[in-house]
Amino acid sequence: MTQTANRDQIRRRNRSIILQTLRREGQMARIDLGRATRLSPATITAITSDMLDEGLIAGIETEEPRAAQSRGRPRSMLALNGAAASVISLRISVNWIDLALADFTGRIIFSRKYPFDTTRADAESFPDLLCSTIASFVEESGANPATVQEIGVASQGIVDRMRGEIVWSPAFSGRNIPVVDPIRTRLGARCFLTNDTNMITEALHWSEPERYSGTFAVLMVDYGVGMGLFLDGHLFVGATGAAAEIGHANHIPGGALCRCGKRGCLEAYLADYALLRQVLDLPEDTDPRSLPVNSQTFDELYAKAKAGDAHVRAVFDGAGRALGTGLARLLAIIEPARVVLTGAGIEAFEFMEAGMHQALEEVLVEDLRRHLVIDVVEWNEDFIRRGLVAQAMRRLDENLTGQPEGISPRASLIRQGASKGI
């Protein structure tokens, strides 16, 4: 029994490796697929034959010759069948729900952003709004609901993946917002919830696995401060999904008021509202909700710093020192091989860098920071979307069991949900 289980597990893993390789590299000949995956020709032939029967992949004849001596005979290639399945990525942020539909190749084939009123969204009202928005999105996309195998949700703030709830987020007026159960119950789709910065980490690993693998960290400075961790080759989210909330680790006890309601959080010295509060010379206990921040706040502050505004430059320098102190704690505990800095706030890194290095030197011994590699990555909102799709596809690949009919049919309620307006 154990040997059979082990064989099944190995086969499932090999199937997943083949699917992920075709998704990353595009169409390939069997011999090239074998080289890329390091699987034997017999294994490649057996598994791809099953996948062809199941409709997960398709054979393509190209004009490229098999070999020089074959005088133009077409070469047989294998490619994923994009119509075999689809997934939906859903990002929740302040005032917006961002949805995208990806086919089985991982390509985004349809996307839409829907506004919602953050100030009114709570545990009672938001599930209905969320499900009706998803249903409308599927209708607009023209997708067959039966092919939608998973909905991956990323949110700002603290999430609890065990309960499927957003515990706290600046995107909501209330707390403990149920997400997973309403989607599963009303729409009949598998659903997974995660923090948005985790998906940036996932996206970087997917796009450049040679560079972003092993143990590395991503720190996003934006409307808040978030972190994603890859430990020993795997995304680390903790027991409930709330790990790596470095923005709400205390930086100065009793210090500046954070959006979460506590005082002295790292975010209260790095996020957009924190810097604006300092630039306006407002007291540290000024409520972040009262500050006129928007998506252009960092751009406006950066422009002032570039124009030579000494006060704004000093504020950025102080933010750099807060960043360096936070990184020092991370290095002492985790020792990542690489730290990625991204988010809208990192656009102004040139005015933060000196303060960051100064703080690192002051609070951390040289032995613990000498191997630090920092990548400053230009912010792209597609990171979160790509991470959600990559994670959903990996789960989907691992769940394919090789039944003759292909992907197991699932009772989909998405169309019914749209017609009922839920």
Side-chain angles (χ1 to χ4, degrees):
M1 186 71 175
T2 302
Q3 289 182 343
T4 301
N6 288 340
R7 284 198 298 269
D8 289 344
Q9 185 177 10
I10 292 171
R11 183 173 178 81
R12 288 166 69 96
R13 184 192 64 192
N14 289 342
R15 285 171 62 91
S16 178
I17 290 172
I18 290 172
L19 290 170
Q20 290 181 44
T21 301
L22 288 172
R23 189 170 293 116
R24 181 176 284 114
E25 303 297 335
Q27 66 183 34
M28 302 179 74
R30 284 181 177 83
I31 188 170
D32 297 326
L33 189 56
R35 292 193 189 103
T37 61
R38 299 182 181 180
L39 297 175
S40 70
T43 298
I44 292 290
T45 298
I47 292 178
T48 56
S49 294
D50 288 344
M51 289 179 176
L52 285 165
D53 292 340
E54 295 158 14
L56 300 179
I57 64 175
I60 301 172
E61 296 295 326
T62 71
E63 296 302 317
E64 180 183 351
R66 298 174 186 267
Q69 64 269 28
S70 60
R71 298 185 182 278
R73 288 180 58 194
R75 191 181 191 203
S76 180
M77 309 286 281
L78 298 173
L80 293 179
N81 173 16
S86 60
V87 299
I88 291 174
S89 73
L90 189 156
R91 180 192 178 194
I92 302 169
S93 58
V94 176
N95 292 328
W96 290 99
I97 298 173
D98 187 324
L99 284 150
L101 178 72
D103 66 15
F104 194 51
T105 69
R107 181 174 62 93
I108 302 296
I109 55 178
F110 186 75
S111 63
R112 283 286 186 274
K113 289 183 72 172
Y114 299 87
F116 78 101
D117 188 350
T118 292
T119 62
R120 297 186 179 184
D122 57 22
E124 286 195 15
S125 64
F126 188 71
D128 288 342
L129 171 66
L130 182 63
C131 290
S132 62
T133 301
I134 296 171
S136 298
F137 172 77
V138 174
E139 284 286 330
E140 287 184 58
S141 73
N144 177 2
T147 69
V148 179
Q149 297 295 304
E150 178 176 317
I151 299 173
V153 181
S155 174
Q156 300 173 0
I158 300 171
V159 304
D160 186 330
R161 64 172 185 164
M162 306 300 291
R163 301 203 316 253
E165 294 179 353
I166 301 170
V167 178
W168 174 85
S169 171
F172 297 100
S173 60
R175 299 174 65 91
N176 301 315
I177 312 295
V179 170
V180 172
D181 281 348
I183 290 176
R184 287 177 176 170
T185 302
R186 304 181 197 186
L187 303 181
R190 288 195 301 269
C191 180
F192 295 87
L193 175 66
T194 187
N195 172 270
D196 53 2
T197 313
N198 286 337
M199 292 303 94
I200 302 172
T201 312
E202 190 77 67
L204 290 170
H205 172 65
W206 168 255
S207 61
E208 294 186 70
E210 298 83 8
R211 185 180 186 87
Y212 299 116
S213 196
T215 296
F216 74 97
V218 174
L219 200 147
M220 181 176 73
V221 178
D222 207 298
Y223 45 80
V225 176
M227 188 168 72
L229 280 178
F230 235 70
L231 299 182
D232 296 330
H234 300 281
L235 182 67
F236 179 76
V237 298
T240 66
E245 282 290 345
I246 194 171
H248 298 290
N250 197 267
H251 175 55
I252 298 177
L257 183 62
C258 179
R259 190 187 274 134
C260 73
K262 296 296 183 181
R263 298 184 68 110
C265 295
L266 181 63
E267 176 183 301
Y269 296 87
L270 263 178
D272 52 5
Y273 69 85
L275 271 62
L276 182 61
R277 181 165 55 194
Q278 295 178 57
V279 167
L280 297 176
D281 291 319
L282 295 173
E284 286 191 337
D285 60 356
T286 301
D287 190 337
R289 293 172 297 182
S290 69
L291 293 165
V293 293
N294 56 53
S295 61
Q296 302 303 312
T297 297
F298 268 124
D299 290 338
E300 293 167 359
L301 294 178
Y302 178 48
K304 290 180 179 180
K306 289 192 72 173
D309 189 314
H311 179 47
V312 176
R313 287 189 176 190
V315 168
F316 274 122
D317 184 72
R321 292 179 61 82
L323 175 62
T325 302
L327 287 178
R329 292 169 179 157
L330 173 66
L331 293 173
I333 297 171
I334 303 297
E335 195 198 4
R338 190 178 300 271
V339 173
V340 179
L341 302 179
T342 190
I346 297 302
E347 180 183 22
F349 185 66
E350 63 184 281
F351 299 111
M352 302 166 69
E353 186 174 11
M356 181 194 74
H357 286 296
Q358 184 178 359
L360 277 168
E361 292 173 6
E362 288 177 359
V363 303
L364 192 66
V365 295
E366 196 270 341
D367 298 303
L368 294 178
R369 55 183 163 80
R370 61 183 173 184
H371 299 301
L372 174 62
V373 176
I374 293 180
D375 287 354
V376 178
V377 176
E378 183 178 358
W379 172 236
N380 184 339
E381 288 197 359
D382 279 349
F383 281 149
I384 296 170
R385 179 183 290 176
R386 294 199 325 246
L388 281 168
V389 170
Q391 191 176 77
M393 288 297 172
R394 186 169 62 249
R395 276 193 293 261
L396 184 58
D397 293 346
E398 292 170 352
N399 287 328
L400 297 177
T401 57
Q403 297 178 1
E405 298 85 2
I407 297 174
S408 299
R410 172 181 58 81
S412 174
L413 303 180
I414 291 180
R415 187 73 69 183
Q416 294 94 312
S419 65
K420 294 177 183 177
I422 63 173

